[in-house]
């Protein structure tokens, strides 16, 4: 077998080393000339030619693909560069807005007699920048997309500084919010606002001539006229102290006990929507306008008490400026 293979190789070598004579005859009277070349050399030159042509074609294809990618990257870069410029400009506005907001919060905090400890917790601008820089340096160290020794853009440091300042100012925001929230709860628990969305004021608080008996009397509340069935809403959070059905006096009426010894009364209702002992919220529907009890027409008789005996002018509470919703 080995002898056969060797014999084949020798035959190929013999054929390859055979030389061919190439004769070149120019036009005119010039002398012709010729040269000899082996078959191996011819195959080598043909292979070299194909290799050169192939490399050239591959280069052209790769060049075109590279140009396409470069154009695409240029488009993306242009888009991100425009966004970078836009966000860089916005960073200054954000810093100004935050500084203004922080000043306003501190002013509100001082006006509401807030705890000064909250102001002492606020960091200086330099402290926020140092903390932000420390955070970003740690992130840069583990960011695989950054080359060794590279760092984030300066605007990223600016945004992080603002974010750190906002986080550190959260104590001030919480302090102001808690104060306002507690005051809002107190205001909601008092009978401030109007029990009807719309009405016609037919009788004020104070001395008047009785519409049913004709003699002078002291009117303990105000009469707010509207069509029967109109919703009556609670003017403050509280617990239903009374829910009485009657054909005399106030007729069907409700008394709500509010915080700090305040009460509100809703008289002459058609129907009552809450029960005695139930807790109601400001703006909640509790009854409807009617004409029960001693009346000459459908209306809501509304009173505000301080304690169970001291009647006050309801208009002082209805026009405080706090809505019922």
């Amino acid at each position: 077998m080995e002898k056969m293979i060797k014999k084949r190789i020798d035959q190929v070598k013999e054929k390859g080393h055979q030389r061919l004579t190439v004769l070149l005859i120019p036009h005119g009277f010039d002398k012709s000339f010729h040269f000899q070349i082996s078959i191996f050399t011819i195959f080598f030159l043909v292979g070299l030619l194909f290799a050169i042509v192939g490399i050239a074609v591959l280069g052209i294809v790769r060049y075109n693909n590279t140009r396409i990618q470069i154009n695409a990257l240029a488009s993306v870069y242009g888009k991100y560069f425009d966004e970078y410029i836009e966000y860089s400009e916005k960073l200054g506005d954000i810093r100004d807005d935050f500084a203004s907001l922080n000043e306003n919060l501190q002013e509100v905090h001082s006006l509401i007699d807030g705890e000064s400890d909250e102001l002492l917790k606020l960091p200086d601008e330099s402290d926020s920048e140092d903390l932000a820089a420390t955070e970003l340096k740690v992130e840069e160290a583990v960011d695989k997309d950054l080359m060794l020794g590279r760092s984030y853009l300066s605007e990223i440091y600016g945004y992080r500084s603002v974010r750190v300042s906002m986080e550190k100012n959260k104590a001030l925001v919480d302090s102001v919010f808690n104060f306002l929230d507690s005051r809002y709860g107190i205001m909601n628990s008092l009978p401030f606002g109007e029990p009807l969305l719309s009405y016609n004021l037919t009788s004020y608080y104070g001395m008047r001539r009785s519409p049913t008996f004709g003699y002078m009397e002291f009117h303990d509340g105000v009469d707010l006229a509207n069509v029967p069935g109109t919703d009556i809403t609670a003017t403050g959070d509280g617990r239903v102290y009374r829910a009485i059905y009657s054909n005399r006096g106030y007729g069907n009426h409700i008394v709500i006990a509010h915080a700090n010894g305040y009460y509100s009364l809703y008289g002459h209702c058609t129907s009552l929507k809450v029960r005695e002992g139930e807790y109601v919220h400001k703006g909640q529907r509790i009854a409807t306008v009617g004409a029960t009890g001693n009346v000459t027409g459908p209306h809501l008789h509304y009173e505000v008490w301080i304690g169970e005996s001291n009647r006050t002018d309801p208009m002082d509470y209805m026009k405080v400026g706090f809505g019922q919703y």
Side-chain angles (χ1 to χ4, degrees):
M1 185 62 135
E2 291 181 2
K3 289 182 179 181
M4 185 178 295
I5 294 174
K6 186 177 180 183
K7 184 179 179 182
R8 291 287 186 187
I9 293 174
D10 292 339
Q11 289 176 351
V12 170
K13 285 182 178 180
E14 185 179 349
K15 289 286 185 182
H17 286 296
Q18 287 182 358
R19 304 178 74 80
L20 301 177
T21 299
V22 179
L23 179 63
L24 299 175
I25 304 175
H27 292 286
F29 299 99
D30 292 335
K31 235 173 131 183
S32 62
F33 61 91
H34 63 276
F35 62 90
Q36 292 183 345
I37 187 170
S38 68
I39 294 176
F40 275 156
T41 304
I42 293 174
F43 276 114
F44 172 75
L45 293 175
V46 171
L48 181 62
L49 178 62
F50 275 108
I52 293 173
V53 173
I55 291 172
V57 172
L58 180 62
I60 292 172
V61 172
R62 285 193 147 183
Y63 171 77
N64 290 333
N65 289 338
T66 302
R67 289 297 304 171
I68 292 173
Q69 292 177 1
I70 289 174
N71 292 335
L73 288 174
S75 175
V76 172
Y77 173 78
K79 174 186 175 184
Y80 284 116
F81 184 76
D82 292 341
E83 291 183 357
Y84 165 74
I85 296 298
E86 179 183 353
Y87 285 119
S88 297
E89 293 174 351
K90 286 183 177 179
L91 177 59
D93 295 337
I94 291 174
R95 279 176 168 160
D96 292 341
D97 291 342
F98 174 71
S100 176
L101 174 62
N102 192 42
E103 290 177 4
N104 292 337
L105 279 173
Q106 293 189 36
E107 183 177 355
V108 171
H109 192 266
S110 63
L111 290 175
I112 62 176
D113 297 327
E115 295 293 333
S116 59
D117 292 345
E118 302 301 336
L119 294 178
L120 295 176
K121 296 176 185 177
L122 300 181
D124 294 331
E125 185 176 352
S126 59
D127 294 336
S128 297
E129 291 177 354
D130 292 342
L131 183 57
T134 302
E135 289 181 358
L136 286 171
K137 288 298 182 185
V138 173
E139 293 178 14
E140 287 171 353
V142 298
D143 193 340
K144 296 180 179 179
D145 292 331
L146 283 179
M147 296 174 60
L148 188 63
R150 299 294 298 275
S151 61
Y152 296 141
L153 296 173
S154 60
E155 284 72 19
I156 294 180
Y157 282 81
Y159 276 108
R160 182 60 64 87
S161 297
V162 174
R163 196 199 76 181
V164 169
S165 297
M166 288 180 176
E167 290 176 350
K168 296 300 180 183
N169 282 28
K170 188 174 181 296
L172 175 61
V173 175
D174 289 342
S175 177
V176 173
F177 173 81
N178 291 335
F179 177 87
L180 295 178
D181 184 60
S182 64
R183 296 306 184 271
Y184 179 77
I186 292 173
M187 299 306 295
N188 265 353
S189 66
L190 299 177
F192 290 153
E194 300 177 334
L196 296 179
L197 190 61
S198 63
Y199 56 85
N200 182 24
L201 181 60
T202 57
S203 186
Y204 289 90
Y205 172 85
M207 293 299 298
R208 68 166 188 179
R209 187 175 297 279
S210 172
T212 53
F213 302 106
Y215 52 78
M216 296 300 294
E217 65 174 0
F218 190 86
H219 191 226
D220 292 330
V222 292
D223 290 341
L224 312 175
N226 207 320
V227 297
T230 300
D231 288 342
I232 301 171
T233 57
T235 52
D237 297 346
R239 193 167 300 280
V240 178
Y241 183 64
R242 295 181 200 155
I244 297 175
Y245 289 88
S246 173
N247 290 323
R248 297 181 298 172
Y250 293 126
N252 302 334
H253 65 280
I254 293 171
V255 177
I256 298 177
H258 304 280
N260 302 311
Y262 282 88
Y263 294 83
S264 58
L265 178 144
Y266 311 79
H268 308 309
C269 307
T270 297
S271 62
L272 309 183
K273 306 300 181 181
V274 292
R275 294 174 296 180
E276 192 170 300
E278 183 178 344
Y279 192 85
V280 297
H281 296 281
K282 185 182 186 72
Q284 180 178 335
R285 179 174 178 247
I286 58 173
T288 56
V289 171
T292 58
N294 297 330
V295 295
T296 57
H299 68 276
L300 167 65
H301 176 80
Y302 178 64
E303 296 182 8
V304 174
W305 311 342
I306 300 178
E308 293 189 54
S309 59
N310 186 13
R311 271 57 171 171
T312 62
D313 188 350
M315 295 300 295
D316 293 338
Y317 301 88
M318 291 170 60
K319 301 302 180 182
V320 167
F322 293 88
Q324 59 183 1
Y325 299 105

